[in-house]
Amino acid sequence: LDRRFKNGFLVTTSYTLSRAENYADEADIATPADIERTYGPTGFNRTHAFASAFIWDLPFFKADNGALHWSLGGWQFSGIFTAYSGTPINFTASAATLGAPGNTQYPNVSGEPDILDGIGPGQKYFDTAAFSAPAQNTWGNLTRNGSISGPGFWNLDASLVKRLRFGQKVNVELRADAFNLTNTPHFNNPNGSFGSSTFGEINSSFGQRLIRFGLR
């Protein structure tokens, strides 16, 4: 859904429904003794991806020739809004009892774990009771990236720009750019290592707000 730049306004919109699969992202195959156990969604797979970009020439005091125009007129507001679903959680378990050195072990899971949406130390993002340790010398029934995904996120990057012209040769641009303008938390995937004391917990985030100013 796009609107070409007209009367000082432009917007572009896109939505992608996708599924990417492979045997490994940028590493060796995790289970060379049974290669098919690693085939599944990529670590970067996001089922839903929405993006919209806009540019708006603010109309306020645009035609004024006085101080209001120089201070408050001629600004342009633009930005990119994105919303993504989460990436797969790669659950693993101790391979000490697997009897297959050099191979990654996966835990057993009963059905699809309930999403609890817990964030922070001691809070579980999913129901950890759905997981159990495999019997000795057997594979777990999970495969690589074969269960639930982590949290999705949305983000707004925005810019405020003013252009000034002095005579025929000198142009000045003032701008402020804000990455993650709303400072909305973007959480990493929960710990998927079965047996860890923080199994199922989300204790880190990324993409905190960053603002920069420029003069050109």
Side-chain angles (χ1 to χ4, degrees), residues 21-101:
E21 297 183 341
N22 61 13
Y23 286 94
D25 290 343
E26 295 183 2
D28 295 333
I29 290 177
T31 57
D34 187 353
I35 293 175
E36 292 304 316
R37 299 188 65 81
T38 68
Y39 186 76
T42 63
F44 54 83
N45 179 71
R46 295 185 186 273
T47 303
H48 305 284
F50 175 85
S52 181
F54 63 90
I55 300 174
W56 183 27
D57 283 342
L58 301 180
F60 315 112
F61 307 106
K62 197 172 183 179
D64 197 297
N65 292 321
L68 287 178
H69 171 74
W70 282 94
S71 58
L72 301 177
W75 289 90
Q76 183 184 82
F77 182 55
S78 61
I80 300 176
F81 174 82
T82 53
Y84 297 128
S85 57
T87 56
I89 303 171
N90 187 29
F91 292 99
T92 60
S94 173
T97 62
L98 179 59

